[in-house]
Amino acid sequence: MNRRTKTQSPALFTQRAIDVIKRIPRGRVATYGQIAAYAGEPRAARQVVWILHSYSDKHRLPWHRVVNGKGRISLPRHQGYGDQKRRLEKEGVKFGNGDTIDFKRYLWSSPRAK
DNA sequence: CTCGTGACTCCCG
DNA sequence: TCGGGAGCCACGA
């Protein structure tokens, strides 16, 4: 009777989070917490991180459009920091002093969330 | 089941 | 402005 074995599919949250990330439009950015909130778990920002690590490739997620709550890239300098910055600038996102992104201009807001 | 991991976030000082 | 600490969640070993 338990037709649905838990190992079959990722948690609903994970699925929704992936979906949310895929909806981030070009030239816009979203924060980890924001994505988690749209997916239904405001405090699962860390889970979003894990998702990026595990599914960004399989699902072709726009991982570079995800930044931290301070409007800055979270990747370590020795990792994809420069890569992410370049990808964003290529989409028209400008970085201010201290490599901060102006949320008033580039933060994405889901049409359905509001 | 317990633990470790991870590109976070909030709260203080 | 910056750093430390606690809280947070799901997954894999």
Side-chain angles (χ1 to χ4, degrees), chain A residues 81-107:
Chain A
Y81 192 100
D83 187 23
Q84 178 170 15
K85 184 176 179 183
R86 243 181 299 106
R87 285 167 183 269
L88 286 176
E89 292 182 317
K90 195 172 175 184
E91 298 187 349
V93 177
K94 314 254 193 235
F95 290 75
N97 247 335
D99 274 359
T100 54
I101 296 173
D102 182 7
F103 278 163
K104 294 188 191 308
R105 290 174 39 114
Y106 305 106
L107 182 63

PDB file of all heavy atoms in Angstrom, chain A residues 81-107:
ATOM      1  N   TYR A  81      33.262  33.026  -8.058  1.00  0.00           N
ATOM      2  CA  TYR A  81      32.925  34.436  -7.827  1.00  0.00           C
ATOM      3  C   TYR A  81      32.975  35.266  -9.104  1.00  0.00           C
ATOM      4  O   TYR A  81      31.996  35.881  -9.513  1.00  0.00           O
ATOM      5  CB  TYR A  81      33.885  35.020  -6.793  1.00  0.00           C
ATOM      6  CG  TYR A  81      33.436  36.375  -6.290  1.00  0.00           C
ATOM      7  CD1 TYR A  81      32.788  36.491  -5.071  1.00  0.00           C
ATOM      8  CD2 TYR A  81      33.659  37.516  -7.055  1.00  0.00           C
ATOM      9  CE1 TYR A  81      32.375  37.729  -4.606  1.00  0.00           C
ATOM     10  CE2 TYR A  81      33.241  38.761  -6.598  1.00  0.00           C
ATOM     11  CZ  TYR A  81      32.605  38.863  -5.376  1.00  0.00           C
ATOM     12  OH  TYR A  81      32.184  40.073  -4.932  1.00  0.00           O
ATOM     13  N   GLY A  82      34.144  35.247  -9.721  1.00  0.00           N
ATOM     14  CA  GLY A  82      34.300  36.029 -10.946  1.00  0.00           C
ATOM     15  C   GLY A  82      33.353  35.565 -12.038  1.00  0.00           C
ATOM     16  O   GLY A  82      32.798  36.375 -12.782  1.00  0.00           O
ATOM     17  N   ASP A  83      33.179  34.285 -12.134  1.00  0.00           N
ATOM     18  CA  ASP A  83      32.309  33.712 -13.166  1.00  0.00           C
ATOM     19  C   ASP A  83      30.883  34.229 -12.985  1.00  0.00           C
ATOM     20  O   ASP A  83      30.242  34.680 -13.922  1.00  0.00           O
ATOM     21  CB  ASP A  83      32.336  32.185 -13.033  1.00  0.00           C
ATOM     22  CG  ASP A  83      31.580  31.527 -14.184  1.00  0.00           C
ATOM     23  OD1 ASP A  83      31.452  32.161 -15.230  1.00  0.00           O
ATOM     24  OD2 ASP A  83      31.126  30.384 -13.990  1.00  0.00           O
ATOM     25  N   GLN A  84      30.411  34.183 -11.758  1.00  0.00           N
ATOM     26  CA  GLN A  84      29.050  34.639 -11.483  1.00  0.00           C
ATOM     27  C   GLN A  84      28.916  36.121 -11.779  1.00  0.00           C
ATOM     28  O   GLN A  84      27.962  36.558 -12.405  1.00  0.00           O
ATOM     29  CB  GLN A  84      28.710  34.375 -10.006  1.00  0.00           C
ATOM     30  CG  GLN A  84      27.318  34.883  -9.647  1.00  0.00           C
ATOM     31  CD  GLN A  84      26.869  34.407  -8.271  1.00  0.00           C
ATOM     32  OE1 GLN A  84      27.665  33.943  -7.472  1.00  0.00           O
ATOM     33  NE2 GLN A  84      25.596  34.525  -8.005  1.00  0.00           N
ATOM     34  N   LYS A  85      29.874  36.891 -11.363  1.00  0.00           N
ATOM     35  CA  LYS A  85      29.817  38.336 -11.578  1.00  0.00           C
ATOM     36  C   LYS A  85      29.769  38.643 -13.072  1.00  0.00           C
ATOM     37  O   LYS A  85      28.990  39.467 -13.534  1.00  0.00           O
ATOM     38  CB  LYS A  85      31.046  38.993 -10.950  1.00  0.00           C
ATOM     39  CG  LYS A  85      30.993  40.504 -11.067  1.00  0.00           C
ATOM     40  CD  LYS A  85      32.152  41.166 -10.365  1.00  0.00           C
ATOM     41  CE  LYS A  85      32.033  42.680 -10.542  1.00  0.00           C
ATOM     42  NZ  LYS A  85      33.166  43.386  -9.931  1.00  0.00           N
ATOM     43  N   ARG A  86      30.594  37.960 -13.805  1.00  0.00           N
ATOM     44  CA  ARG A  86      30.632  38.185 -15.259  1.00  0.00           C
ATOM     45  C   ARG A  86      29.304  37.844 -15.907  1.00  0.00           C
ATOM     46  O   ARG A  86      28.801  38.560 -16.756  1.00  0.00           O
ATOM     47  CB  ARG A  86      31.724  37.326 -15.879  1.00  0.00           C
ATOM     48  CG  ARG A  86      32.796  38.164 -16.521  1.00  0.00           C
ATOM     49  CD  ARG A  86      33.879  37.310 -17.157  1.00  0.00           C
ATOM     50  NE  ARG A  86      34.585  36.460 -16.232  1.00  0.00           N
ATOM     51  CZ  ARG A  86      34.409  35.145 -16.166  1.00  0.00           C
ATOM     52  NH1 ARG A  86      33.549  34.560 -16.967  1.00  0.00           N
ATOM     53  NH2 ARG A  86      35.071  34.438 -15.311  1.00  0.00           N
ATOM     54  N   ARG A  87      28.738  36.709 -15.500  1.00  0.00           N
ATOM     55  CA  ARG A  87      27.455  36.282 -16.075  1.00  0.00           C
ATOM     56  C   ARG A  87      26.379  37.320 -15.799  1.00  0.00           C
ATOM     57  O   ARG A  87      25.554  37.616 -16.664  1.00  0.00           O
ATOM     58  CB  ARG A  87      27.016  34.948 -15.464  1.00  0.00           C
ATOM     59  CG  ARG A  87      27.801  33.770 -15.997  1.00  0.00           C
ATOM     60  CD  ARG A  87      27.552  32.553 -15.124  1.00  0.00           C
ATOM     61  NE  ARG A  87      28.330  31.402 -15.554  1.00  0.00           N
ATOM     62  CZ  ARG A  87      27.883  30.498 -16.416  1.00  0.00           C
ATOM     63  NH1 ARG A  87      26.704  30.619 -16.958  1.00  0.00           N
ATOM     64  NH2 ARG A  87      28.639  29.477 -16.754  1.00  0.00           N
ATOM     65  N   LEU A  88      26.395  37.862 -14.601  1.00  0.00           N
ATOM     66  CA  LEU A  88      25.369  38.845 -14.246  1.00  0.00           C
ATOM     67  C   LEU A  88      25.569  40.149 -15.019  1.00  0.00           C
ATOM     68  O   LEU A  88      24.618  40.728 -15.539  1.00  0.00           O
ATOM     69  CB  LEU A  88      25.422  39.126 -12.737  1.00  0.00           C
ATOM     70  CG  LEU A  88      24.866  37.990 -11.867  1.00  0.00           C
ATOM     71  CD1 LEU A  88      25.055  38.310 -10.391  1.00  0.00           C
ATOM     72  CD2 LEU A  88      23.396  37.754 -12.163  1.00  0.00           C
ATOM     73  N   GLU A  89      26.792  40.579 -15.096  1.00  0.00           N
ATOM     74  CA  GLU A  89      27.056  41.826 -15.817  1.00  0.00           C
ATOM     75  C   GLU A  89      26.660  41.672 -17.268  1.00  0.00           C
ATOM     76  O   GLU A  89      26.188  42.603 -17.907  1.00  0.00           O
ATOM     77  CB  GLU A  89      28.543  42.167 -15.714  1.00  0.00           C
ATOM     78  CG  GLU A  89      28.938  42.541 -14.293  1.00  0.00           C
ATOM     79  CD  GLU A  89      30.399  42.917 -14.181  1.00  0.00           C
ATOM     80  OE1 GLU A  89      31.251  42.223 -14.786  1.00  0.00           O
ATOM     81  OE2 GLU A  89      30.699  43.911 -13.482  1.00  0.00           O
ATOM     82  N   LYS A  90      26.847  40.478 -17.772  1.00  0.00           N
ATOM     83  CA  LYS A  90      26.498  40.194 -19.160  1.00  0.00           C
ATOM     84  C   LYS A  90      24.996  40.340 -19.361  1.00  0.00           C
ATOM     85  O   LYS A  90      24.527  40.627 -20.455  1.00  0.00           O
ATOM     86  CB  LYS A  90      26.924  38.757 -19.463  1.00  0.00           C
ATOM     87  CG  LYS A  90      26.962  38.448 -20.928  1.00  0.00           C
ATOM     88  CD  LYS A  90      27.589  37.074 -21.092  1.00  0.00           C
ATOM     89  CE  LYS A  90      27.540  36.637 -22.539  1.00  0.00           C
ATOM     90  NZ  LYS A  90      28.050  35.272 -22.666  1.00  0.00           N
ATOM     91  N   GLU A  91      24.242  40.142 -18.296  1.00  0.00           N
ATOM     92  CA  GLU A  91      22.785  40.259 -18.392  1.00  0.00           C
ATOM     93  C   GLU A  91      22.322  41.668 -18.052  1.00  0.00           C
ATOM     94  O   GLU A  91      21.129  41.944 -17.984  1.00  0.00           O
ATOM     95  CB  GLU A  91      22.121  39.257 -17.427  1.00  0.00           C
ATOM     96  CG  GLU A  91      22.451  37.823 -17.779  1.00  0.00           C
ATOM     97  CD  GLU A  91      21.655  36.841 -16.924  1.00  0.00           C
ATOM     98  OE1 GLU A  91      21.027  37.260 -15.945  1.00  0.00           O
ATOM     99  OE2 GLU A  91      21.668  35.640 -17.266  1.00  0.00           O
ATOM    100  N   GLY A  92      23.285  42.536 -17.791  1.00  0.00           N
ATOM    101  CA  GLY A  92      22.917  43.924 -17.511  1.00  0.00           C
ATOM    102  C   GLY A  92      22.917  44.326 -16.060  1.00  0.00           C
ATOM    103  O   GLY A  92      22.594  45.453 -15.717  1.00  0.00           O
ATOM    104  N   VAL A  93      23.284  43.401 -15.192  1.00  0.00           N
ATOM    105  CA  VAL A  93      23.293  43.727 -13.764  1.00  0.00           C
ATOM    106  C   VAL A  93      24.584  44.482 -13.431  1.00  0.00           C
ATOM    107  O   VAL A  93      25.665  44.023 -13.754  1.00  0.00           O
ATOM    108  CB  VAL A  93      23.226  42.440 -12.906  1.00  0.00           C
ATOM    109  CG1 VAL A  93      23.317  42.788 -11.430  1.00  0.00           C
ATOM    110  CG2 VAL A  93      21.927  41.710 -13.201  1.00  0.00           C
ATOM    111  N   LYS A  94      24.432  45.619 -12.806  1.00  0.00           N
ATOM    112  CA  LYS A  94      25.613  46.421 -12.460  1.00  0.00           C
ATOM    113  C   LYS A  94      25.965  46.263 -10.992  1.00  0.00           C
ATOM    114  O   LYS A  94      25.084  46.155 -10.145  1.00  0.00           O
ATOM    115  CB  LYS A  94      25.322  47.876 -12.714  1.00  0.00           C
ATOM    116  CG  LYS A  94      24.660  48.101 -14.026  1.00  0.00           C
ATOM    117  CD  LYS A  94      25.645  48.716 -14.999  1.00  0.00           C
ATOM    118  CE  LYS A  94      24.965  49.222 -16.193  1.00  0.00           C
ATOM    119  NZ  LYS A  94      25.121  49.006 -17.432  1.00  0.00           N
ATOM    120  N   PHE A  95      27.236  46.276 -10.726  1.00  0.00           N
ATOM    121  CA  PHE A  95      27.709  46.154  -9.351  1.00  0.00           C
ATOM    122  C   PHE A  95      28.195  47.496  -8.835  1.00  0.00           C
ATOM    123  O   PHE A  95      28.893  48.206  -9.538  1.00  0.00           O
ATOM    124  CB  PHE A  95      28.855  45.140  -9.272  1.00  0.00           C
ATOM    125  CG  PHE A  95      28.386  43.726  -9.492  1.00  0.00           C
ATOM    126  CD1 PHE A  95      28.062  43.263 -10.763  1.00  0.00           C
ATOM    127  CD2 PHE A  95      28.261  42.859  -8.414  1.00  0.00           C
ATOM    128  CE1 PHE A  95      27.623  41.959 -10.955  1.00  0.00           C
ATOM    129  CE2 PHE A  95      27.822  41.543  -8.604  1.00  0.00           C
ATOM    130  CZ  PHE A  95      27.509  41.106  -9.873  1.00  0.00           C
ATOM    131  N   GLY A  96      27.818  47.819  -7.630  1.00  0.00           N
ATOM    132  CA  GLY A  96      28.240  49.082  -7.042  1.00  0.00           C
ATOM    133  C   GLY A  96      29.499  48.911  -6.231  1.00  0.00           C
ATOM    134  O   GLY A  96      30.222  47.934  -6.392  1.00  0.00           O
ATOM    135  N   ASN A  97      29.735  49.832  -5.338  1.00  0.00           N
ATOM    136  CA  ASN A  97      30.920  49.763  -4.507  1.00  0.00           C
ATOM    137  C   ASN A  97      30.890  48.523  -3.632  1.00  0.00           C
ATOM    138  O   ASN A  97      29.886  48.201  -3.059  1.00  0.00           O
ATOM    139  CB  ASN A  97      30.972  50.994  -3.608  1.00  0.00           C
ATOM    140  CG  ASN A  97      32.136  51.859  -4.008  1.00  0.00           C
ATOM    141  OD1 ASN A  97      33.096  51.340  -4.577  1.00  0.00           O
ATOM    142  ND2 ASN A  97      32.070  53.127  -3.734  1.00  0.00           N
ATOM    143  N   GLY A  98      31.995  47.834  -3.555  1.00  0.00           N
ATOM    144  CA  GLY A  98      32.033  46.642  -2.736  1.00  0.00           C
ATOM    145  C   GLY A  98      31.319  45.490  -3.411  1.00  0.00           C
ATOM    146  O   GLY A  98      30.902  44.549  -2.769  1.00  0.00           O
ATOM    147  N   ASP A  99      31.172  45.605  -4.718  1.00  0.00           N
ATOM    148  CA  ASP A  99      30.508  44.537  -5.482  1.00  0.00           C
ATOM    149  C   ASP A  99      29.099  44.250  -4.978  1.00  0.00           C
ATOM    150  O   ASP A  99      28.673  43.114  -4.944  1.00  0.00           O
ATOM    151  CB  ASP A  99      31.338  43.250  -5.395  1.00  0.00           C
ATOM    152  CG  ASP A  99      32.411  43.236  -6.475  1.00  0.00           C
ATOM    153  OD1 ASP A  99      32.467  44.196  -7.262  1.00  0.00           O
ATOM    154  OD2 ASP A  99      33.162  42.261  -6.552  1.00  0.00           O
ATOM    155  N   THR A 100      28.406  45.295  -4.583  1.00  0.00           N
ATOM    156  CA  THR A 100      27.031  45.085  -4.125  1.00  0.00           C
ATOM    157  C   THR A 100      26.049  45.368  -5.254  1.00  0.00           C
ATOM    158  O   THR A 100      26.297  46.220  -6.097  1.00  0.00           O
ATOM    159  CB  THR A 100      26.704  46.031  -2.953  1.00  0.00           C
ATOM    160  OG1 THR A 100      26.984  47.374  -3.348  1.00  0.00           O
ATOM    161  CG2 THR A 100      27.515  45.687  -1.737  1.00  0.00           C
ATOM    162  N   ILE A 101      24.956  44.641  -5.232  1.00  0.00           N
ATOM    163  CA  ILE A 101      23.936  44.801  -6.264  1.00  0.00           C
ATOM    164  C   ILE A 101      22.785  45.619  -5.687  1.00  0.00           C
ATOM    165  O   ILE A 101      22.355  45.375  -4.564  1.00  0.00           O
ATOM    166  CB  ILE A 101      23.403  43.417  -6.701  1.00  0.00           C
ATOM    167  CG1 ILE A 101      24.533  42.608  -7.341  1.00  0.00           C
ATOM    168  CG2 ILE A 101      22.251  43.588  -7.682  1.00  0.00           C
ATOM    169  CD1 ILE A 101      24.152  41.175  -7.643  1.00  0.00           C
ATOM    170  N   ASP A 102      22.301  46.577  -6.449  1.00  0.00           N
ATOM    171  CA  ASP A 102      21.205  47.420  -5.975  1.00  0.00           C
ATOM    172  C   ASP A 102      19.883  46.668  -6.104  1.00  0.00           C
ATOM    173  O   ASP A 102      19.359  46.490  -7.192  1.00  0.00           O
ATOM    174  CB  ASP A 102      21.165  48.691  -6.826  1.00  0.00           C
ATOM    175  CG  ASP A 102      20.066  49.623  -6.330  1.00  0.00           C
ATOM    176  OD1 ASP A 102      19.461  49.324  -5.285  1.00  0.00           O
ATOM    177  OD2 ASP A 102      19.820  50.640  -6.992  1.00  0.00           O
ATOM    178  N   PHE A 103      19.370  46.231  -4.965  1.00  0.00           N
ATOM    179  CA  PHE A 103      18.113  45.471  -4.970  1.00  0.00           C
ATOM    180  C   PHE A 103      16.949  46.279  -5.531  1.00  0.00           C
ATOM    181  O   PHE A 103      16.026  45.723  -6.103  1.00  0.00           O
ATOM    182  CB  PHE A 103      17.774  45.036  -3.551  1.00  0.00           C
ATOM    183  CG  PHE A 103      18.518  43.795  -3.132  1.00  0.00           C
ATOM    184  CD1 PHE A 103      18.625  43.452  -1.791  1.00  0.00           C
ATOM    185  CD2 PHE A 103      19.089  42.960  -4.079  1.00  0.00           C
ATOM    186  CE1 PHE A 103      19.294  42.295  -1.404  1.00  0.00           C
ATOM    187  CE2 PHE A 103      19.767  41.809  -3.693  1.00  0.00           C
ATOM    188  CZ  PHE A 103      19.869  41.477  -2.355  1.00  0.00           C
ATOM    189  N   LYS A 104      16.970  47.541  -5.350  1.00  0.00           N
ATOM    190  CA  LYS A 104      15.861  48.357  -5.851  1.00  0.00           C
ATOM    191  C   LYS A 104      15.737  48.247  -7.362  1.00  0.00           C
ATOM    192  O   LYS A 104      14.678  48.464  -7.929  1.00  0.00           O
ATOM    193  CB  LYS A 104      16.086  49.821  -5.484  1.00  0.00           C
ATOM    194  CG  LYS A 104      16.035  50.077  -3.990  1.00  0.00           C
ATOM    195  CD  LYS A 104      16.068  51.568  -3.711  1.00  0.00           C
ATOM    196  CE  LYS A 104      16.290  51.859  -2.243  1.00  0.00           C
ATOM    197  NZ  LYS A 104      15.367  51.169  -1.371  1.00  0.00           N
ATOM    198  N   ARG A 105      16.832  47.938  -7.971  1.00  0.00           N
ATOM    199  CA  ARG A 105      16.810  47.836  -9.433  1.00  0.00           C
ATOM    200  C   ARG A 105      16.818  46.414  -9.953  1.00  0.00           C
ATOM    201  O   ARG A 105      16.232  46.112 -10.983  1.00  0.00           O
ATOM    202  CB  ARG A 105      18.028  48.555 -10.001  1.00  0.00           C
ATOM    203  CG  ARG A 105      17.915  50.036  -9.825  1.00  0.00           C
ATOM    204  CD  ARG A 105      19.212  50.736 -10.254  1.00  0.00           C
ATOM    205  NE  ARG A 105      19.811  50.165 -11.410  1.00  0.00           N
ATOM    206  CZ  ARG A 105      19.918  50.814 -12.574  1.00  0.00           C
ATOM    207  NH1 ARG A 105      19.431  52.030 -12.692  1.00  0.00           N
ATOM    208  NH2 ARG A 105      20.512  50.258 -13.575  1.00  0.00           N
ATOM    209  N   TYR A 106      17.549  45.542  -9.277  1.00  0.00           N
ATOM    210  CA  TYR A 106      17.683  44.183  -9.812  1.00  0.00           C
ATOM    211  C   TYR A 106      17.035  43.041  -9.055  1.00  0.00           C
ATOM    212  O   TYR A 106      17.007  41.923  -9.550  1.00  0.00           O
ATOM    213  CB  TYR A 106      19.167  43.874  -9.974  1.00  0.00           C
ATOM    214  CG  TYR A 106      19.871  44.902 -10.813  1.00  0.00           C
ATOM    215  CD1 TYR A 106      20.726  45.832 -10.229  1.00  0.00           C
ATOM    216  CD2 TYR A 106      19.668  44.968 -12.191  1.00  0.00           C
ATOM    217  CE1 TYR A 106      21.378  46.800 -10.994  1.00  0.00           C
ATOM    218  CE2 TYR A 106      20.303  45.918 -12.960  1.00  0.00           C
ATOM    219  CZ  TYR A 106      21.162  46.836 -12.362  1.00  0.00           C
ATOM    220  OH  TYR A 106      21.786  47.766 -13.125  1.00  0.00           O
ATOM    221  N   LEU A 107      16.529  43.294  -7.872  1.00  0.00           N
ATOM    222  CA  LEU A 107      15.922  42.180  -7.140  1.00  0.00           C
ATOM    223  C   LEU A 107      14.629  41.740  -7.812  1.00  0.00           C
ATOM    224  O   LEU A 107      13.760  42.549  -8.118  1.00  0.00           O
ATOM    225  CB  LEU A 107      15.620  42.622  -5.699  1.00  0.00           C
ATOM    226  CG  LEU A 107      15.026  41.496  -4.834  1.00  0.00           C
ATOM    227  CD1 LEU A 107      16.026  40.359  -4.698  1.00  0.00           C
ATOM    228  CD2 LEU A 107      14.660  42.034  -3.463  1.00  0.00           C
TER     229      LEU A 107
END
